[in-house]
Amino acid sequence: MAVPSSRHGRAILFITLLLQFTTSIAKSFNNRPYHHTRNTEYIRSSCTATTYPRLCYRSLSIYAAKINTSPRLLAQSALIITFKASKSSSRLMRKLARTHGLKPRVAAAMADCIELFGDSLDELQQSIGELVRLKRSNFQLIMSDVQTWVSAALTDEDTCMDGFAGRAMNGYVKTIVRKRVVKIAHLTSNALALINNYSSSMS
């Protein structure tokens, strides 16, 4: 498995990527109509390979100017969107975990989800950072790592929901968590499909 140069260096690079990604929204609205149409059609076509194509297109089309018709930027953008949504859900879970009067089993499931989402965020962040380092010489090695990490993130999200299985766990907290985790899992699944397509197209 490829080892990034340093944790501090990865963190700085990752923050820079997020800032660039966020500011790209404004640029997309200034893009010329022809190129915007070409880029959005590329995203629409690429999203047909995912399990949730409507969510895929809806979440990615706003970044059409940044993505252009690049499969690497498409995969990277899907990962960043997933990371940002996961980060938001992780904060919500921490807040819900402090709710007074939680049943012991619900509190335990929340604690497990918080830990699992922490792992998932690490895996997504590593994947985003590694895609930046991608070259022809290290393509197969890095793509293999990224596929492994994103698959692990998807497993973490599924495991989180497993902790809320059964009628005894029904209630407000389960409803909120399930809604968030299902969306994150769908975003992660879509990102993985785009990564797999990119990897296959370059093999």
Side-chain angles (χ1 to χ4, degrees):
M1 184 174 289
V3 180
S5 55
S6 72
R7 188 177 185 85
H8 180 66
R10 291 201 310 273
I12 292 174
L13 176 61
F14 185 71
I15 292 169
T16 302
L17 281 171
L18 284 181
L19 288 172
Q20 290 174 344
F21 186 77
T22 302
T23 56
S24 70
I25 300 177
K27 293 180 181 179
S28 69
F29 291 119
N30 295 324
N31 205 24
R32 288 181 296 176
Y34 169 76
H35 291 120
H36 182 73
T37 300
R38 181 194 64 183
N39 296 348
T40 53
E41 284 306 312
Y42 169 73
I43 292 170
R44 189 189 303 277
S45 175
S46 298
C47 284
T48 60
T50 68
T51 307
Y52 310 99
R54 291 179 64 183
L55 174 64
C56 175
Y57 178 75
R58 191 167 64 246
S59 62
L60 287 165
S61 58
I62 194 170
Y63 304 109
K66 173 184 173 60
I67 294 166
N68 202 337
T69 56
S70 165
R72 181 180 68 81
L73 291 177
L74 181 67
Q76 189 178 75
S77 298
L79 285 173
I80 292 175
I81 289 167
T82 304
F83 177 88
K84 292 174 72 174
S86 298
K87 189 79 170 177
S88 174
S89 294
S90 180
R91 286 195 296 265
L92 175 64
M93 287 181 194
R94 290 179 184 278
K95 183 177 180 180
L96 288 173
R98 295 193 293 268
T99 303
H100 181 69
L102 286 181
K103 297 176 183 178
R105 282 187 62 193
V106 173
M110 284 299 302
D112 287 343
C113 276
I114 290 168
E115 182 178 351
L116 287 162
F117 260 72
D119 292 340
S120 177
L121 285 167
D122 285 343
E123 289 149 357
L124 292 171
Q125 182 173 336
Q126 284 181 303
S127 299
I128 294 164
E130 287 297 271
L131 284 182
V132 177
R133 298 177 55 243
L134 204 59
K135 301 175 185 176
R136 185 175 296 275
S137 60
N138 62 13
F139 184 87
Q140 293 300 331
L141 176 61
I142 284 184
M143 290 306 294
S144 177
D145 286 347
V146 170
Q147 288 168 316
T148 298
W149 287 327
V150 179
S151 294
L154 187 57
T155 299
D156 290 334
E157 294 149 10
D158 289 340
T159 303
C160 166
M161 276 314 304
D162 288 345
F164 284 92
R167 291 186 177 181
M169 303 294 280
N170 288 354
Y172 171 76
V173 171
K174 177 180 177 178
T175 300
I176 296 297
V177 171
R178 177 176 174 76
K179 183 178 179 180
R180 286 296 189 108
V181 175
V182 166
K183 182 176 180 180
I184 300 300
H186 289 181
L187 287 170
T188 307
S189 171
N190 284 348
L192 182 59
L194 295 174
I195 288 163
N196 288 341
N197 271 12
Y198 177 37
S199 180
S200 298
S201 70
M202 299 294 287
S203 297

